[in-house]
Amino acid sequence: MTELEFEVLRAFLKTRSGLALSVDKRYLVESRLASVCTRFKVESLSRLIWEIKSGRSPAIEIAAIEAMTTNETFFFRDKAPFDLFQDVLIPRYLKDRAAGRRLRIWCAAASTGQEPYSLAMLLKEASARMPGWHVDIIATDISNDVLERARAGIYNQFEVQRGLPIRLLVKYFTQKGEQWQIAPEIRSMVDFRYLNLIEDFSRLGQFDIVYCRNVLIYFDAPTKAHVLRRIAQSMTPDGSLVLGASETILGITDALSLDPAYRGLYSKSASAGPTVRPALAGIR
């Protein structure tokens, strides 16, 4: 792959997915796109990039984007954001939403589903405190391949050993040969949908809690600012946003404010602009 071809691919990925590849990622591009060449019987990376540039094959374009997307995830990843959900956010919204008994949660960049399923299990554990409540968990990702895996809720031994407490494995999973499938009662709590974060997502409606972890690190500053402002506009006035441990809004946007009591927790600022009203198609 020539330098010019690499620049064509970088521009394509930035425009279509927001992914900002640094110049030192050329080796990563070559290794990940090799499988796309094999899948579509394209003889070389140069030819693959020509196909992408020509715009003649949407399937190849989608495959290239998905190949370059990082899907690293595991149950209860980093632990602290889930302790925050269990110990702070659930009690907060049980009190603040007691009249309507409705809660809407969005997991952006949900990958193969471990994050939204982790939240769903915590909600199930708290169900005795939530009689009559209606909770929506919308989980989105740019990759249809990982969304299919997430909907199936089937994980191998290594995946269920990463962060998942044995008590919850026994309670909410059924072993099928060498794999484990999460219980239908947990799968039914999560609505998985395709979504590209750099495109319009107002159709999803508004949310009380948003988890958008470990995805903004792949965007450049202007794209981060754009996505964060629109996320803020999708939050209820007293909504909460949880970012990854290495992510920050500092110097990027004034649409959100850091909660001084909890690391990684943000609230909506007055400067965020009007709240997006729920679209009927976005509410189950």
Side-chain angles (χ1 to χ4, degrees), residues 68-83:
M68 293 308 304
T69 302
T70 300
N71 294 309
E72 170 70 5
T73 186
F74 51 90
F75 290 102
F76 298 95
R77 183 181 182 182
D78 302 328
K79 193 175 183 298
F82 299 97
D83 290 342

Side-chain angles (χ1 to χ4, degrees), residues 215-284:
V215 61
L216 296 177
I217 55 175
Y218 300 106
F219 297 159
D220 61 18
T223 305
K224 288 179 185 177
H226 180 60
V227 171
L228 285 169
R229 178 166 292 277
R230 290 184 298 120
I231 287 176
Q233 290 172 345
S234 75
M235 294 162 58
T236 54
D238 61 346
S240 300
L241 168 66
V242 180
L243 295 180
S246 63
E247 295 167 322
T248 180
I249 66 167
L250 187 63
I252 297 174
T253 182
D254 59 357
L256 296 154
S257 300
L258 174 65
D259 187 319
Y262 304 103
R263 182 180 179 185
L265 181 62
Y266 300 85
S267 58
K268 182 175 182 174
S269 300
S271 60
T275 297
V276 172
R277 295 302 170 194
L280 293 179
I283 298 179
R284 297 191 292 134

Side-chain angles (χ1 to χ4, degrees), residues 191-227:
D191 180 8
F192 289 98
R193 304 183 190 181
Y194 172 85
L195 182 74
N196 186 337
L197 279 174
I198 68 170
E199 296 175 356
D200 177 50
F201 48 75
S202 61
R203 66 185 183 278
L204 295 179
Q206 65 181 103
F207 295 91
D208 305 295
I209 301 171
V210 179
Y211 271 63
C212 185
R213 303 171 58 230
N214 307 310
V215 61
L216 296 177
I217 55 175
Y218 300 106
F219 297 159
D220 61 18
T223 305
K224 288 179 185 177
H226 180 60
V227 171

Side-chain angles (χ1 to χ4, degrees), residues 111-148:
S111 189
T112 45
Q114 286 93 321
E115 178 177 87
Y117 283 143
S118 295
L119 298 179
M121 284 185 279
L122 292 179
L123 284 166
K124 193 68 176 178
E125 293 291 289
S127 60
R129 292 183 284 157
M130 304 177 68
W133 278 72
H134 182 89
V135 180
D136 289 319
I137 304 176
I138 309 298
T140 65
D141 200 274
I142 195 173
S143 170
N144 281 306
D145 287 347
V146 299
L147 287 171
E148 284 191 24

